[in-house]
Amino acid sequence: MTTTTQAPAARADAPKDAGLRRGVMSGPELAAQAIANIAPSAVIAFTAAGIFIGAGNGTMLSFVLATIVILAVGYCVAVFAKKHASAGSLYTYVAKGLGPFGAYLAGVALLIGCWGIAAGSLGGSVSYFNQFLLLIGVPFEGVFAQITLAIVLGGLATLFTIRGIRLSARVSLVLELVSVAIILVLLVLALVWAGPNAWDPAQFSLEGVPFQGVAAGMVLGILGFVGFSSADALGREAKNPYKAIPRAIMWSALGVGVLYVFSAYTQIAILGDDLATVASPLEAISAQIGMPAWFGPVLTFGVGASFFAVVVAPLNVVGRIIYVMGKEGVVAERFGRTHERHLTPHRVLLVAGPAAIVLDVVLLAIGVHPMDIVVWVDTYGTYGYMVAYALVAIACVVYTRREKMRNGLVWVCATVAVVAMVYVFFANVWPVPAWPLNVIPYLFLITMVAALAWYLHLAKRRPEVIANIGNTETDALEGVG
């Protein structure tokens, strides 16, 4: 049985907390949270084309390598998830190996990652739903229309997360299943249409494949998985969390990896070299195989729904990490309490959700294209995920060694994970990208420095808080949930 530490917020005179719901999330619902955070449909729509430019027929190999790296990270996370159940996600796990400072760094980095991906994906949802409305004949375009969609979609995402984890997970599951089903139907029909030409042996021979391009493509492939471990923030709300959460993390990563490899193969087999030049590969395939006119809006709706699902899922994680931080006194205590009826960290969500909306509205108002918001803000969030993943891998090595657990595979997975995360980070800053991507690493660093300043303030003024960072697990959470 895991030993838990009582957080400072649990003292006798603390305000009553309703708590999070206990044991309400099934295995499929946990997988839905993980898959929705990945948003595979949105990744399929663009990433294979981006990788193909450099990797050519090695695009599938890039995805295979990316999947292996993510499974290595997932294994390190699963080692913790089998022993510890918490709403704190990697923040709590890293504490077991690297102590309060490492946990704090991981928690802040993961918050940046989750919030950044949510805010960036809101731009993608706006773009695709705007296009969907135009395709079905609704004359709703221009900056005002985009801002309106950002407010409506962001408001709905926030509402779903506040109303309950099961509601938000089911919304995400339905939207992502619909989206993936639409894309799979298109890809399977495309292979049927191609007949004997659907077999493309060049993608398996690897002859003439530029391996430098494959390595660069692996970076994009890894970015297509960020957020895959988000089910680990549902330790209290999951049924049988010590088994269900590790399974959800590993199987969702493997399943999405297979989906990426299949989609990459199909896009190359059907479009060939045109994959590097078409604006929208899925729409190009639809047109090439002669899909009916009504399929265009359906496909657009599916990708928009995928983007919306990935607005909802990361907000759930943000809410729960800050909820645990509120319990421990790292942030204001009021964030460590949940809604009396919905049993969700509503105070956090009422800040994080509107903040994402405001960022998108400001960028849209100054003329930024919604899909540029996806690229810029998601990049900012991705830096956070890279740091958090590297820290949890290092923490896993330290933790298993201290606990005298067999850790030969942990060493291998942690080495793969850390080397890959460092490479991904380096590949995103060198060669120096064009404006504004060249300043985003500095924005990330500024955020981390500001967070470190708060940590130093706590260490000086409230050392008892530092001692409890990352120690709040499921059984230490007060409440009736």
Side-chain angles (χ1 to χ4, degrees):
M1 181 66 183
T2 301
T3 302
T4 57
T5 303
Q6 196 78 352
R11 64 183 188 272
D13 62 343
K16 180 65 177 176
D17 173 29
L20 297 166
R21 294 191 186 278
R22 184 187 293 276
V24 296
M25 296 286 288
S26 66
E29 288 169 330
L30 291 172
Q33 168 70 20
I35 293 172
N37 219 320
I38 299 171
S41 302
V43 173
I44 290 170
F46 299 101
T47 303
I51 294 175
F52 182 79
I53 293 173
N57 284 330
T59 299
M60 277 202 311
L61 180 59
S62 291
F63 275 119
V64 169
L65 293 174
T67 302
I68 292 172
V69 169
I70 291 300
L71 288 173
V73 177
Y75 182 79
C76 293
V77 176
V79 167
F80 287 111
K82 290 176 181 178
K83 300 288 185 180
H84 304 279
S86 175
S89 186
L90 306 186
Y91 166 72
T92 301
Y93 296 164
V94 172
K96 310 304 177 188
L98 301 182
F101 182 67
Y104 182 81
L105 282 181
V108 171
L110 189 59
L111 287 172
I112 292 172
C114 292
W115 184 82
I117 295 297
S121 297
L122 180 58
S125 187
V126 167
S127 179
Y128 274 86
F129 278 117
N130 195 182
Q131 184 182 351
F132 168 73
L133 291 173
L134 293 174
L135 287 173
I136 62 174
V138 178
F140 197 60
E141 55 186 326
V143 174
F144 175 77
Q146 293 173 349
I147 289 175
T148 301
L149 282 171
I151 293 172
V152 171
L153 293 170
L156 284 173
T158 305
L159 175 64
F160 289 146
T161 57
I162 291 174
R163 287 297 301 271
I165 184 62
R166 296 191 77 186
L167 173 63
S168 61
R170 287 174 177 178
V171 167
S172 298
L173 175 62
V174 170
L175 292 178
E176 201 57 55
L177 284 179
V178 168
S179 181
V180 170
I182 292 169
I183 291 174
L184 283 177
V185 166
L186 174 65
L187 296 179
V188 170
L189 288 177
L191 292 176
V192 172
W193 170 85
N197 294 328
W199 171 241
D200 187 7
Q203 293 193 59
F204 296 94
S205 69
L206 301 181
E207 183 177 348
V209 167
F211 286 99
Q212 184 176 358
V214 170
M218 186 184 70
V219 173
L220 291 177
I222 291 172
L223 300 185
F225 284 93
V226 293
F228 80 102
S229 67
S230 62
D232 60 12
L234 306 178
R236 180 179 175 89
E237 293 148 303
K239 297 176 182 177
N240 195 8
Y242 301 107
K243 290 184 178 180
I245 290 176
R247 287 174 181 171
I249 291 171
M250 297 301 289
W251 283 107
S252 61
L254 180 60
V256 170
V258 171
L259 183 62
Y260 285 167
V261 171
F262 171 71
S263 67
Y265 172 84
T266 305
Q267 290 181 56
I268 296 171
I270 300 302
L271 296 177
D273 292 340
D274 290 342
L275 180 59
T277 58
V278 295
S280 176
L282 296 181
E283 291 180 10
I285 290 175
S286 179
Q288 183 163 326
I289 68 175
M291 293 294 287
W294 56 262
F295 188 78
V298 171
L299 180 62
T300 302
F301 177 86
V303 178
S306 180
F307 273 115
F308 180 77
V310 82
V311 179
V312 175
L315 286 179
N316 281 324
V317 181
V318 169
R320 280 143 186 83
I321 295 174
I322 296 183
Y323 172 69
V324 171
M325 287 181 168
K327 285 281 187 185
E328 296 174 345
V330 178
V331 298
E333 188 179 64
R334 63 181 176 274
F335 293 122
R337 300 195 297 275
T338 59
H339 193 280
E340 292 182 1
R341 182 157 59 93
H342 302 309
L343 304 182
T344 55
H346 62 297
R347 290 181 173 88
V348 179
L349 297 169
L350 285 172
V351 174
I357 296 171
V358 168
L359 176 62
D360 280 49
V361 167
V362 169
L363 291 175
L364 290 169
I366 63 176
V368 178
H369 191 279
M371 292 308 296
D372 285 335
I373 294 176
V374 176
V375 175
W376 299 352
V377 185
D378 276 14
T379 298
Y380 171 74
T382 297
Y383 290 132
Y385 275 116
M386 297 300 102
V387 171
Y389 289 162
L391 285 171
V392 78
I394 296 170
C396 190
V397 173
V398 177
Y399 168 77
T400 52
R401 183 176 181 181
R402 187 170 61 228
E403 296 295 318
K404 295 180 171 55
M405 299 166 59
R406 295 181 63 182
N407 68 348
L409 185 56
V410 168
W411 270 99
V412 173
C413 290
T415 301
V416 170
V418 172
V419 170
M421 294 307 112
V422 171
Y423 175 68
V424 169
F425 196 96
F426 180 78
N428 275 271
V429 299
W430 188 265
V432 177
W435 165 268
L437 293 177
N438 61 327
V439 303
I440 291 177
Y442 298 100
L443 293 176
F444 171 72
L445 290 175
I446 289 170
T447 310
M448 294 297 293
V449 169
L452 286 175
W454 179 249
Y455 181 89
L456 294 175
H457 168 78
L458 289 175
K460 182 178 180 180
R461 300 294 180 87
R462 301 180 64 192
E464 74 281 0
V465 170
I466 300 299
N468 281 282
I469 283 180
N471 287 324
T472 303
E473 300 193 25
T474 293
D475 294 337
L477 293 176
E478 289 187 340
V480 297

